[in-house]
Amino acid sequence: MAKQAENKLYPIQHYVKIILVISFSALILDFIISFASITIVKQQSARDLRDTAYLYINRINSDFSYINHFMGWTLANDENVKIMDMHDTNETEFMKANDTIYRRFVELQKSYNPSYNFFLFFNKKKLMLNIAPMAVTYKVYRELQKQINVYIEDKVIYEQFYSRWSTIQLAGKFYIVNIVPYHDSYMICLISADDLIRPLRQINLGENGYASLRAEDGSLVTSPISNKGKLLNIEHEQNQSSLLNPLQTKTTVNGEFDNASFFVKLVIQFGAFEKIMIVQLLIMLLAVIVACSLSFIMLYFKNKVLQPIKSFSYNLAFWTEDGEPIDSTSSKIVELEKANKQFAQLVTQIKTYKIDIYERELEKQQIQLDYMKLQIKPHFFLNCLTTIHSMAQMDMTEEIQQMALSTSVYFRYIFQNGQDFVRMEDEIEHVRVYLEIQRNRYQGSFLYRIEQTELTRDTPIPPLVLQTFIENAIKYAVSRDKQVLIELTVEEQLIEDETMTVIQITDTGPGFPPDVLEKLQQGQPLDQTNGTQIGIMNTASRLEYLYGERAVIRFSNRENGGACVTLYLPELPVSPIENGVQRR
């Protein structure tokens, strides 16, 4: 009975119902997940923006408190203010005192915000001076002077501004002002309301979100401008949001400033979340429509298409394990019989193409290896010739002979070596020749030391790998200012039960720049747009081709200064020096 249940056949209508039920269930589930996800993301985004706004408000409160305290202390304790009050503006004492205060408040501007303007007002003289560079026009300055005179005379209004950050309108624009009195002298701080709120406008609050300053009565101090610079019509946006798009919601954040007559209001409105949910629903609805269409097509072509396809599928099941098709002549449909033969031919062609592509990939890989290991900078050869020419001008016969011989040995090693691997001893000897050439060029600007264990003399290594890092040390570490030491050590170590050849190149130069070191440690590509830094990336690619992921390059800066490069090369299963090319 169990066997009969397993082999039970169902009509095509049964599978159509299953498809429809799954499609509608997926649509409902997608709606629920989308709605929940959008709600959670929206709440998290609003919370993050609220925290960001509060951080900015707390910073402004701290700035307000310090500036207020600094102005009060200056009025009460700075002798320069008293000197300026006692002398006329054209007297030397007045000018010296004014210059001292001016420099002090310039530093205060640099520490906080250049948009803050500072003024000193002497009531007896009816004189107001700017004691820091002004970020306002002269018209605003004149209107501020008139307003200060009015506030001082009107005690009721004066109480509203007494050491309190308040809003003031000058030349048709709102500013934030703080007036600190001491006897008959006053110190004033002024900043544009737009400059104060500008960092909050750079936060993405949504397409119709905005940040604005408001007075105590709720009236606007700054215009509601979105983060895209669009001036919003608040009433129009509210009506459009409530009538045309009921799904769109918004979050309002009010932030209070300490000792101030205004507050900040943030309106967070993300319409994109709702659009994403609608798009997802449309996609799922389209999927349901497609599923329904397929179901009707399946019902219509049940007898005309499905049964022949079933027979063809039965025939396709009889392929051998090695991919050779078995001749099938049981089908009574001519088209399917032709399809059987064409499929057999296709399998044979695929096998042929696969082998051809594999061989082409091996050839391409070998070409890339040859290119990378022979890629050198031509200017090194020119520098050698230039050095020999300079020696000839100074009649340095012996040095010229040594330089020419070293250069000849150096380039013979580069151009005559056609293997992917060489002996470690030969590679180190090549590096020693290269260092001697550079010593002749730089005339004692650096020393070098090479240490190698006996076990590593016959160790295989890709040619020119060590030179890449030695050349990098010469280029960036050696200078005419101080003598640099370059060290090369080669030894074998047992790391995680595997014998590794550990090669370390160090120098006492300035080390890797932080940004370059970070990219190297994270395996990110370096900037090669100017034709520089090709060698390190070239070598990393070669080691990856030859060793896979078993070879490791580590970059670091030494504690006492200088760069450090450590290479970990694993043992190879066969002798690559004898076979020429290492197969992986």
Side-chain angles (χ1 to χ4, degrees):
M1 297 295 293
K3 187 175 181 180
Q4 292 179 358
E6 292 178 359
N7 296 330
K8 186 178 179 181
L9 300 178
Y10 295 96
I12 191 65
Q13 291 85 351
H14 175 76
Y15 298 103
V16 171
K17 290 180 181 179
I18 293 177
I19 293 175
L20 293 177
V21 169
I22 293 176
S23 299
F24 283 111
S25 300
L27 179 63
I28 296 173
L29 183 62
D30 179 73
F31 176 81
I32 295 173
I33 294 175
S34 299
F35 183 79
S37 301
I38 290 172
T39 301
I40 294 172
V41 173
K42 185 187 297 183
Q43 291 176 353
Q44 183 64 38
S45 299
R47 189 182 301 112
D48 293 341
L49 292 173
R50 188 184 298 111
D51 294 341
T52 302
Y54 286 154
L55 286 174
Y56 175 72
I57 292 171
N58 291 336
R59 197 201 78 182
I60 293 299
N61 285 331
S62 176
D63 294 350
F64 280 175
S65 176
Y66 181 81
I67 291 173
N68 185 275
H69 173 75
F70 187 83
M71 293 193 300
W73 184 91
T74 302
L75 282 174
N77 300 283
D78 197 331
E79 293 296 330
N80 293 292
V81 176
K82 299 178 182 179
I83 293 174
M84 293 174 66
D85 193 20
M86 294 171 55
H87 294 81
D88 292 334
T89 58
N90 56 355
E91 295 184 14
T92 304
E93 291 81 359
F94 182 92
M95 295 179 183
K96 290 183 179 180
N98 184 25
D99 183 63
T100 302
I101 294 178
Y102 191 90
R103 289 197 303 268
R104 188 174 301 164
F105 277 86
V106 167
E107 294 298 324
L108 183 64
Q109 275 186 335
K110 293 179 180 179
S111 301
Y112 288 88
N113 191 337
S115 299
Y116 284 105
N117 301 273
F118 296 96
F119 304 93
L120 184 59
F121 183 83
F122 298 104
N123 191 29
K124 293 180 181 180
K125 302 178 181 180
K126 299 299 179 183
L127 174 65
M128 188 175 79
L129 300 170
N130 65 300
I131 53 176
M134 290 195 307
V136 297
T137 63
Y138 182 74
K139 182 179 180 180
V140 173
Y141 169 79
R142 296 296 299 171
E143 287 197 17
L144 176 63
Q145 187 176 17
K146 294 178 182 179
Q147 292 285 0
I148 296 300
N149 285 320
V150 173
Y151 293 162
I152 293 174
E153 298 297 331
D154 192 336
K155 298 300 180 182
V156 176
I157 299 177
Y158 176 71
E159 290 296 331
Q160 300 176 2
F161 289 88
Y162 178 78
S163 294
R164 189 181 185 207
W165 295 88
S166 307
T167 60
I168 183 174
Q169 191 171 12
L170 302 172
K173 186 177 180 181
F174 280 97
Y175 292 84
I176 308 301
V177 66
N178 180 259
I179 305 174
V180 179
Y182 184 77
H183 296 309
D184 220 17
S185 301
Y186 302 85
M187 194 158 284
I188 304 150
C189 179
L190 183 74
I191 184 173
S192 170
D194 289 327
D195 292 337
L196 186 65
I197 202 176
R198 182 172 289 112
L200 289 179
R201 286 177 172 170
Q202 297 175 355
I203 302 176
N204 185 10
L205 302 176
E207 183 177 357
N208 296 322
Y210 63 90
S212 63
L213 287 180
R214 294 178 179 265
E216 290 178 324
D217 58 357
S219 59
L220 283 171
V221 176
T222 59
S223 301
I225 300 176
S226 67
N227 62 309
K228 295 182 179 180
K230 175 185 176 183
L231 180 62
L232 302 175
N233 186 341
I234 298 179
E235 296 181 357
H236 174 71
E237 295 293 339
Q238 289 176 346
N239 294 334
Q240 187 181 27
S241 176
S242 59
L243 296 177
L244 300 180
N245 193 3
L247 290 176
Q248 208 171 41
T249 58
K250 66 179 181 179
T251 302
T252 302
V253 178
N254 292 328
E256 300 288 342
F257 292 98
D258 296 338
N259 193 26
S261 62
F262 54 91
F263 64 94
V264 64
K265 181 177 181 180
L266 273 71
V267 176
I268 306 169
Q269 191 162 347
F270 293 109
F273 292 116
E274 291 77 11
K275 295 178 182 178
I276 293 173
M277 184 172 66
I278 294 174
V279 170
Q280 287 183 329
L281 291 176
L282 291 176
I283 292 174
M284 288 304 302
L285 183 61
L286 179 61
V288 171
I289 295 174
V290 172
C292 294
S293 301
L294 290 176
S295 300
F296 287 118
I297 292 174
M298 290 173 65
L299 289 173
Y300 182 77
F301 291 102
K302 174 182 177 182
N303 297 323
K304 296 183 178 180
V305 177
L306 293 182
Q307 190 60 39
I309 289 179
K310 182 178 179 181
S311 300
F312 181 68
S313 299
Y314 178 79
N315 293 333
L316 291 179
F318 291 95
W319 302 112
T320 60
E321 294 182 357
D322 58 356
E324 294 296 334
I326 297 178
D327 293 336
S328 177
T329 58
S330 60
S331 177
K332 296 181 180 181
I333 301 177
V334 176
E335 291 79 7
L336 292 180
E337 187 68 23
K338 292 181 178 179
N340 287 332
K341 295 181 180 179
Q342 291 177 357
F343 185 76
Q345 295 176 359
L346 180 61
V347 171
T348 304
Q349 291 178 0
I350 288 175
K351 291 176 63 177
T352 304
Y353 291 154
K354 186 176 180 180
I355 295 173
D356 184 62
I357 291 174
Y358 178 75
E359 293 178 350
R360 288 177 183 269
E361 185 63 28
L362 287 179
E363 182 180 356
K364 177 182 177 183
Q365 187 177 102
Q366 184 61 41
I367 292 174
Q368 289 178 340
L369 284 173
D370 293 340
Y371 169 75
M372 287 188 292
K373 74 180 181 181
L374 293 178
Q375 185 183 31
I376 62 171
K377 296 181 178 179
H379 70 261
F380 176 76
F381 179 69
L382 299 179
N383 289 338
C384 292
L385 295 180
T386 303
T387 303
I388 293 174
H389 178 265
S390 300
M391 292 178 177
Q393 290 180 332
M394 294 182 289
D395 294 330
M396 301 170 63
T397 305
E398 295 182 1
E399 288 80 357
I400 291 174
Q401 293 176 357
Q402 182 64 32
M403 184 69 175
L405 181 61
S406 298
T407 303
S408 174
V409 172
Y410 173 82
F411 281 99
R412 183 180 297 109
Y413 180 85
I414 289 179
F415 291 114
Q416 291 184 1
N417 185 17
Q419 296 178 334
D420 288 326
F421 290 89
V422 296
R423 293 175 61 251
M424 182 69 72
E425 181 68 18
D426 295 336
E427 179 72 4
I428 290 179
E429 181 62 26
H430 171 69
V431 169
R432 186 178 286 107
V433 171
Y434 173 79
L435 289 171
E436 286 298 327
I437 293 174
Q438 295 294 358
R439 284 187 63 186
N440 289 328
R441 286 187 59 206
Y442 289 98
Q443 295 297 321
S445 295
F446 72 93
L447 300 175
Y448 70 88
R449 181 166 59 243
I450 299 176
E451 297 181 1
Q452 179 188 12
T453 61
E454 290 293 333
L455 295 176
T456 62
R457 293 186 179 275
D458 294 326
T459 300
I461 183 175
L464 306 181
V465 167
L466 299 184
Q467 183 199 327
T468 298
F469 300 102
I470 294 293
E471 182 180 351
N472 196 64
I474 293 290
K475 181 177 180 181
Y476 295 102
V478 175
S479 65
R480 304 293 183 179
D481 298 335
K482 65 176 183 178
Q483 194 174 57
V484 175
L485 175 63
I486 299 175
E487 294 182 281
L488 169 63
T489 60
V490 183
E491 60 181 353
E492 282 191 358
Q493 293 184 11
L494 187 64
I495 302 176
E496 297 181 355
D497 298 331
E498 184 178 6
T499 302
M500 305 284 286
T501 301
V502 181
I503 305 170
Q504 190 173 72
I505 301 101
T506 61
D507 62 67
T508 57
F512 293 106
D515 55 338
V516 174
L517 181 60
E518 181 180 0
K519 289 185 177 180
L520 291 173
Q521 291 177 341
Q522 295 180 359
Q524 298 178 357
L526 301 178
D527 183 13
Q528 303 179 21
T529 54
N530 296 325
T532 60
Q533 301 175 337
I534 296 176
I536 293 179
M537 306 310 300
N538 188 326
T539 301
S541 299
R542 289 178 60 199
L543 294 179
E544 183 178 359
Y545 270 120
L546 296 170
Y547 294 96
E549 297 182 354
R550 298 173 61 200
V552 179
I553 307 178
R554 292 180 180 173
F555 302 88
S556 62
N557 283 332
R558 304 170 65 188
E559 295 182 358
N560 298 328
C564 177
V565 180
T566 306
L567 283 76
Y568 298 87
L569 304 181
E571 285 188 334
L572 298 171
V574 296
S575 176
I577 299 176
E578 297 176 0
N579 295 344
V581 179
Q582 170 67 20
R583 300 293 184 184
R584 293 189 285 112

